[in-house]
Amino acid sequence: GISMAIRTETEVIFIIGIIIHAIVLVALIGLVVLGFRRRDEYFSSLAYTVRTIFRGTIAIYLAVRITWLILHLVAPQHSIVTFILNRFAMSALLTSFTLVIFYWAERFHKNYFETGKFLPKVGGVFVGVNFSMYAIQIVFLGLFIKWPNRDHVIYDINIFIDIGLTALVSLGFFIYGWLLFWRTKKTDDSAVESRDKELTKILVFTMTFTTCFLCKAAIFSYRPLTGNYFPSPVFYLFGYYIPELVPTIFQIIVSESSTKQQVRDTKFIDDLYAESQDDIVSDREEKARLVNEAYNGGGSGYMTIDNYQRK
């Protein structure tokens, strides 16, 4: 009876996870479809590239995570397939958010040190970090195939590597989040209300991203360090759902809101430009009319005088 209750409880956790991840994935696909209707010139090439890569890797992460949860639901025993899917989902998630960190870094250095486009200059670092991460996953996948026992030391080493990568992501958000916060706070902005809103947004996102990834690292540290296990609801809720989905949803929202704001600003500028062009055309037409009238009037006078002289 107890084991059946535990099994039912775990199944409910998996079902909830599948539903939540599926909702986020469908919403993301909807945003992508709607995005095709917008004009590409509304976005800078860097922002557009970051947004596209982020959405692509997050979509992969969500699809793989859903598949992983479904397999856990229908086949509770751990297998090499679920291990591979979990490794791949984790890698896709970290790729997405290391990209966000590098984009934050680019905005900070570009806005405050005028170093040009920072992200392309350190693009090699971003590629190197992610290449190393995937290479490590492949190596440990091979080792896990050879030693599939989860009590083997190889499995714990892999967990500690994941913990280290997750902690580094948390640290990256903390560092650049606070750098952006303090630099923005020191700016002499006459629009104080606007600056305060920006400061609040930076603070909320910095603390949310930092806390979520740090929480994931802490949850996964518990078993290797203590030898004990969290209850399934606690483990999946604070080890997977909250630290993975909350930053994902936040980033999707801020990306979409920034996109809409960019579209509104660009449309406003385009409208102003169109109005100014209309004014210029109207002024030219009015000047042409006045010149034409002056010419016709002057011409008549000239002809009158000329005729008079001839007489």
Side-chain angles (χ1 to χ4, degrees), residues 13-30:
I13 293 298
F14 290 148
I15 293 172
I16 292 174
I18 292 169
I19 293 173
I20 296 174
H21 284 79
I23 291 173
V24 177
L25 179 59
V26 170
L28 180 60
I29 293 173

Side-chain angles (χ1 to χ4, degrees), residues 6 11 34 43 50 54 75 88 100 124 136 170 187 205 209 223 252 254 267 284 300 304:
I6 294 175
E11 288 177 348
L34 292 174
F43 317 109
V50 170
F54 177 82
F88 193 72
V100 175
I136 291 171
S170 178
T187 55
F205 276 85
F209 286 10
R223 203 277 303 165
I252 291 173
V254 73
K267 187 176 184 303
R284 287 177 178 174
S300 299
T304 303

Side-chain angles (χ1 to χ4, degrees), residues 117-163:
K117 291 186 176 181
F118 178 77
L119 185 59
K121 293 181 179 179
V122 295
V125 178
F126 171 76
V127 173
V129 168
N130 282 273
F131 178 81
S132 300
M133 179 177 62
Y134 284 99
I136 291 171
Q137 297 299 337
I138 292 172
V139 169
F140 276 95
L141 177 60
L143 294 174
F144 186 77
I145 293 174
K146 185 175 181 180
W147 294 291
N149 186 1
R150 287 178 175 261
D151 294 328
H152 198 280
V153 66
I154 293 297
Y155 188 75
D156 285 345
I157 293 175
N158 188 33
I159 290 177
F160 280 119
I161 291 177
D162 285 349
I163 292 169

Side-chain angles (χ1 to χ4, degrees), residues 195-206:
R195 186 185 63 180
D196 288 345
K197 288 182 179 179
E198 185 66 20
L199 286 172
T200 301
K201 185 172 73 172
I202 293 173
L203 183 62
V204 169
F205 276 85
T206 299

Side-chain angles (χ1 to χ4, degrees), residues 4-302:
M4 186 61 183
I6 294 175
R7 173 65 187 150
T8 304
E9 184 182 67
T10 305
E11 288 177 348
V12 171
I13 293 298
F14 290 148
I15 293 172
I16 292 174
I18 292 169
I19 293 173
I20 296 174
H21 284 79
I23 291 173
V24 177
L25 179 59
V26 170
L28 180 60
I29 293 173
L31 291 175
V32 171
V33 172
L34 292 174
F36 285 132
R37 299 179 181 179
R38 299 194 182 107
R39 290 163 47 191
D40 289 347
E41 58 265 31
Y42 282 151
F43 317 109
S44 67
S45 58
L46 178 60
Y48 183 80
T49 300
V50 170
R51 189 191 66 168
T52 301
I53 296 176
F54 177 82
R55 286 182 172 181
T57 52
I58 283 296
I60 293 172
Y61 149 73
L62 290 169
V64 174
R65 184 63 80 205
I66 291 171
T67 306
W68 178 74
L69 288 169
I70 292 173
L71 288 179
H72 269 291
L73 183 64
V74 300
Q77 65 276 12
H78 296 291
S79 67
I80 188 63
V81 176
T82 56
F83 181 81
I84 293 173
L85 291 175
N86 193 26
R87 298 296 89 212
F88 193 72
M90 177 73 172
S91 299
L93 181 73
L94 291 180
T95 295
S96 302
F97 283 98
T98 52
L99 177 66
V100 175
I101 291 173
F102 277 102
Y103 184 66
W104 282 23
E106 190 275 339
R107 302 315 301 168
F108 174 77
H109 290 278
K110 180 179 179 180
N111 289 339
Y112 300 111
F113 291 108
E114 299 181 353
T115 56
K117 291 186 176 181
F118 178 77
L119 185 59
K121 293 181 179 179
V122 295
V125 178
F126 171 76
V127 173
V129 168
N130 282 273
F131 178 81
S132 300
M133 179 177 62
Y134 284 99
I136 291 171
Q137 297 299 337
I138 292 172
V139 169
F140 276 95
L141 177 60
L143 294 174
F144 186 77
I145 293 174
K146 185 175 181 180
W147 294 291
N149 186 1
R150 287 178 175 261
D151 294 328
H152 198 280
V153 66
I154 293 297
Y155 188 75
D156 285 345
I157 293 175
N158 188 33
I159 290 177
F160 280 119
I161 291 177
D162 285 349
I163 292 169
L165 291 173
T166 306
L168 285 176
V169 171
S170 178
L171 182 62
F173 279 118
F174 180 80
I175 291 174
Y176 274 104
W178 280 107
L179 286 175
L180 286 170
F181 179 84
W182 287 111
R183 288 291 181 177
T184 303
K185 190 175 182 179
K186 291 179 181 179
T187 55
D188 184 16
D189 192 350
S190 56
V192 177
E193 184 178 352
S194 175
R195 186 185 63 180
D196 288 345
K197 288 182 179 179
E198 185 66 20
L199 286 172
T200 301
K201 185 172 73 172
I202 293 173
L203 183 62
V204 169
F205 276 85
T206 299
M207 297 310 297
T208 299
F209 286 10
T210 301
T211 303
C212 284
F213 284 101
L214 199 59
C215 174
K216 185 177 181 66
I219 290 294
F220 276 86
S221 301
Y222 182 76
R223 203 277 303 165
L225 293 178
T226 66
N228 299 318
Y229 292 87
F230 281 114
S232 291
V234 174
F235 178 72
Y236 285 101
L237 186 63
F238 293 99
Y240 287 102
Y241 299 170
I242 290 178
E244 293 182 357
L245 286 176
V246 170
T248 297
I249 294 171
F250 267 49
Q251 183 59 31
I252 291 173
I253 291 174
V254 73
S255 175
E256 186 62 19
S257 63
S258 299
T259 296
K260 289 181 178 179
Q261 184 62 43
Q262 242 180 332
V263 171
R264 286 194 295 267
D265 293 344
T266 307
K267 187 176 184 303
F268 176 72
I269 294 172
D270 287 347
D271 291 342
L272 288 179
Y273 179 75
E275 291 176 4
S276 66
Q277 289 295 101
D278 291 340
D279 292 340
I280 292 172
V281 171
S282 298
D283 290 343
R284 287 177 178 174
E285 291 176 349
E286 180 65 17
K287 288 179 181 178
R289 185 182 66 78
L290 293 174
V291 170
N292 186 52
E293 289 179 357
Y295 175 78
N296 290 334
S300 299
Y302 174 77

